[in-house]
Structure formats: structure tokens, C-alpha cells
């Protein structure tokens, strides 16, 4: 198992390196001149050349890339002499628009995205798995048809449409919830819960519908397996048979997509955070794309890639608990 985990960590390093390289190539070849963006349209050519020198943009491509890569681990210096600015590790550069440290911007925004992602994940797992399990047990009944019909309809509603509808009904019309904002838990648990409830519901709706349909299909297939017939023939109680023999193999595909979905949300729920005005990583990415703020876009891309590859590793380790056959193979 230790060798397997070490190999996966090596794969994570390679993937993150390639993501960093490809993203850097895109910005280096396709993006406008960062020095011109920082200086403005009325800037003199001498000033533009000076900014290029401070940022290291006058260096060859691979020199710039190596400097960016090593700065993540050891930091880097901008400028020289009296104008020297040291960016401590992990250094992801400075925003072209606000001149803030990109790492500090990410650290400030990440708790908001994590709160949105964790709350939504709890909702969609509880609702999706329970609804799918009940539909599988009651296959063909009115509950099954109603639940799957609602799941199909719910998965067809775009996030931004549901977000705007909830804001109008719950905030403007009924006035039972405040407009969502990045409230800290220390400001009051009730206000914190009310402020994040609508983003959680919006994100959880589509995922819960998908998980309900997938859980139902997996449990129905598992109930038809020979080992389930054997368990029932032994006279085991139905709840014990469902919990011990049916649910674990049925949850294996759920663990796969949950790891990917949750990891992607940690990188920022772009649409939901933008619609509700939450200053998370997703909204920061949207603002950076609109302003072509290259260092921020690079940081968000690397952050999302990191969460996805680590999420895949966690899923593979969870497999060893859910399915003993995977545990044997992973040794």
C-alpha cells in the first residue's frame, strides 16, 4: 500500500507540473503584454520596458517558467536595489489589477468557497443517497416514479436560474432570508446559516438529483446479484442485508464522482458565487478572467488542479475500505 500511495503522489507531481506548464504556455503566447496592462495606454515605452524588467518578462520563456515554478517553493525577488520586493514562498506573484499578493488573495477567499462546497456536499449526499436508496427499495411504486421525475426535472434547471428564483422568492417576496454574504461563523451561527443556505441549496439541487438516480440504479443492480440472493436465503434481516451487503458495493461509483465533484467545487463554484456575490475563489476567477489578470488565473487553475488530483487519490484510498478486492490489488 505504501508503494501504491508513493506512486500516486509521484503522479500528482507530474500532473501538476504539466498543468502549470500548459497554463503558462497559454498565457505566454496568447495573452496581451502584462507590462502594458499594468502601466496603462498612456504609458511611455521606457516605463513599459522597466516594468518588463521588474517582472522578468524580458527573460526567455523557460527562464520565466522556472522562476515561476521555483517561487512557489522558495519565493522570488522582483526588481533590484532600492526597488527590490521579496515575495515569500509560496509565491504566486502579484495581481496586475490590485497589486496584492495572489497567495494572500487565495487564502482570503478559500474559506468562503470551502464553506459553500462542504455545506452543499452534505446536502446533496444526504438527499441524493437517501432518495435513491428508497426509490430502489420501492422500485415501481408511486414514490419511485415521483422521486425520479423530480430528479430528472431538478437536474435540468441551470444553477443561475434557480439562484435568481430563490433570491426573488425568499429574499425579495417572502423576506425570510437575508441576501447571501460571506458571513463568518463567529458573527453568529444563525446568520451564518441563513447567509449560506441559498448557495447550498442551489449547488446541491443538481448534484442531489444526479446522485439519487445513480444510487437507485446501482442498488437495483446490486440487489439482483447472486450474493444478495444468498444473504436473503440465509434468513438475514432485510436492513442488515441492505446495509452490509448491498449498500457498500453500490456506493463505490458514488465515491468516484463525489471525489471529483467536491474537489472541483473547492476550486470555486464560479456561477453560484458570482450570482450571489460571494467573494470566494470562483468569483475571484470570474473577475480575473474578465480583467485578464494572469497571475490570479494561474493560481486558480493550479488550485483547482491540485484539489482534483488529490481528490482522485482520496477516492482510490476510500475504495480500499468499500471494496476489499481493490485493497488486495493496491498492495
Amino acid at each position: 500500500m505504501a508503494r501504491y500511495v508513493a506512486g500516486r503522489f509521484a503522479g500528482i507531481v507530474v500532473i501538476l507540473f504539466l498543468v502549470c506548464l500548459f497554463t503558462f504556455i497559454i498565457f505566454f503566447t496568447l495573452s496581451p503584454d502584462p507590462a502594458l496592462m499594468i502601466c496603462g495606454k498612456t504609458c511611455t515605452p521606457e516605463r513599459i520596458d522597466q516594468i518588463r524588467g521588474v517582472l522578468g518578462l524580458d527573460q526567455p520563456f523557460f527562464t520565466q517558467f522556472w522562476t515561476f515554478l521555483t517561487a512557489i517553493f522558495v519565493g522570488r525577488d522582483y526588481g533590484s536595489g532600492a526597488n527590490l520586493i521579496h515575495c515569500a514562498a509560496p509565491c504566486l506573484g502579484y495581481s496586475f489589477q490590485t497589486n496584492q499578493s495572489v497567495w494572500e488573495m487565495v487564502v482570503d477567499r478559500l474559506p468562503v468557497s470551502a464553506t459553500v462546497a462542504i455545506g452543499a456536499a452534505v446536502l446533496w449526499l444526504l438527499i441524493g443517497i437517501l432518495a435513491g436508496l428508497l426509490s430502489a427499495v420501492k422500485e415501481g411504486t408511486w414514490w419511485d416514479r415521483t422521486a425520479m421525475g423530480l430528479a430528472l426535472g431538478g437536474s435540468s434547471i441551470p444553477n443561475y436560474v434557480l439562484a435568481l428564483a430563490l433570491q426573488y422568492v425568499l429574499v425579495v417576496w417572502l423576506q425570510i432570508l437575508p441576501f447571501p454574504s460571506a458571513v463568518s461563523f463567529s458573527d453568529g451561527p444563525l446568520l451564518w446559516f441563513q447567509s449560506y443556505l441559498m448557495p447550498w441549496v442551489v449547488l446541491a439541487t443538481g448534484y442531489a438529483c444526479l446522485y439519487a438516480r445513480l444510487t437507485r440504479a446501482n442498488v437495483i443492480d446490486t440487489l439482483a446479484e447472486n450474493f444478495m440472493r444468498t444473504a436473503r436465503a440465509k434468513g438475514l434481516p432485510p436492513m442488515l442485508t441492505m446495509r452490509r451487503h448491498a449498500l457498500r458495493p453500490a456506493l463505490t461509483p458514488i465515491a468516484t464522482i463525489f471525489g471529483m465533484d467536491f474537489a472541483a467545487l473547492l476550486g470555486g463554484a464560479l456561477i453560484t458565487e458570482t450570482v450571489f456575490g460571494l467573494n470566494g475563489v470562483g468569483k475571484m476567477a470570474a473577475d480575473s478572467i474578465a480583467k485578464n489578470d494572469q497571475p490570479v488565473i494561474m493560481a486558480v487553475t493550479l488550485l483547482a488542479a491540485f484539489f482534483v488530483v488529490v481528490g482522485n487519490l482520496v477516492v482510490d484510498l476510500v475504495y480500499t475500505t468499500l471494496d476489499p478486492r481493490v485493497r488486495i490489488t493496491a498492495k
Side-chain angles (χ1 to χ4, degrees):
M1 180 61 73
R3 183 181 300 177
Y4 172 78
V5 174
R8 290 304 305 271
F9 269 113
I12 288 175
V13 173
V14 173
I15 292 173
L16 291 178
F17 174 81
L18 293 176
V19 169
C20 185
L21 176 61
F22 291 150
T23 308
F24 202 86
I25 290 174
I26 292 173
F27 287 134
F28 186 85
T29 57
L30 301 180
S31 297
D33 188 355
L36 184 59
M37 292 177 56
I38 295 172
C39 196
K41 295 181 179 180
T42 60
C43 194
T44 62
E46 293 77 12
R47 178 58 180 163
I48 293 176
D49 291 338
Q50 182 182 5
I51 295 175
R52 287 198 184 105
V54 171
L55 297 178
L57 300 175
D58 54 348
Q59 301 293 324
F61 168 77
F62 285 106
T63 302
Q64 293 187 44
F65 175 69
W66 181 252
T67 302
F68 172 81
L69 201 62
T70 55
I72 299 176
F73 303 98
V74 299
R76 65 176 293 186
D77 293 329
Y78 289 94
S80 59
N83 297 322
L84 178 67
I85 299 175
H86 179 70
C87 180
C91 178
L92 298 173
Y94 292 90
S95 169
F96 291 161
Q97 300 297 323
T98 64
N99 204 32
Q100 290 180 274
S101 168
V102 175
W103 174 253
E104 293 179 359
M105 293 174 65
V106 170
V107 171
D108 290 340
R109 307 283 186 106
L110 188 57
V112 176
S113 295
T115 301
V116 173
I118 293 173
V122 171
L123 275 181
W124 88 58
L125 281 177
L126 289 176
I127 297 173
I129 293 179
L130 287 177
L133 184 60
L134 288 175
S135 294
V137 174
K138 300 179 179 295
E139 182 184 5
T141 63
W142 66 269
W143 165 267
D144 181 29
R145 292 190 293 268
T146 302
M148 290 303 101
L150 291 175
L152 181 61
S155 60
S156 305
I157 302 176
N159 279 1
Y160 62 89
V161 174
L162 183 59
L164 294 174
L166 286 179
Q167 286 185 75
Y168 176 75
V169 174
L170 299 179
V171 179
V172 179
W173 183 22
L174 299 178
Q175 298 183 0
I176 59 177
L177 286 178
F179 192 83
S181 59
V183 176
S184 174
F185 189 82
S186 60
D187 295 332
L190 180 59
L191 180 60
W192 172 82
F193 178 80
Q194 292 175 332
S195 298
Y196 282 103
L197 181 59
M198 280 193 292
W200 290 341
V201 172
V202 168
L203 274 179
T205 298
Y207 288 113
C209 295
L210 172 64
Y211 281 49
R213 298 173 65 188
L214 184 60
T215 302
R216 175 185 180 274
N218 290 337
V219 172
I220 289 176
D221 289 342
T222 304
L223 290 176
E225 295 288 345
N226 291 331
F227 66 86
M228 289 300 299
R229 297 191 185 97
T230 303
R232 288 192 290 264
K234 289 180 178 179
L236 295 178
M239 288 301 298
L240 180 62
T241 304
M242 180 65 67
R243 177 172 54 85
R244 179 173 297 178
H245 298 286
L247 198 55
R248 286 178 61 179
L251 287 181
T252 303
I254 300 295
T256 303
I257 63 170
F258 175 73
M260 296 291 292
D261 293 337
F262 182 67
L265 282 183
L266 284 176
L270 192 148
I271 295 177
T272 302
E273 291 180 9
T274 302
V275 172
F276 288 114
L278 297 173
N279 289 321
V281 176
K283 189 175 186 300
M284 183 177 68
D287 295 340
S288 305
I289 293 171
K291 298 175 181 178
N292 198 26
D293 198 344
Q294 299 174 19
V296 180
I297 300 174
M298 282 282 296
V300 174
T301 303
L302 288 176
L303 182 71
F306 173 79
F307 282 133
V308 169
V309 295
V310 171
N312 273 304
L313 175 61
V314 173
V315 167
D316 289 344
L317 296 179
V318 170
Y319 272 179
T320 64
T321 301
L322 293 177
D323 193 340
R325 295 170 297 180
V326 178
R327 190 181 311 155
I328 294 173
T329 307
K331 288 184 178 179

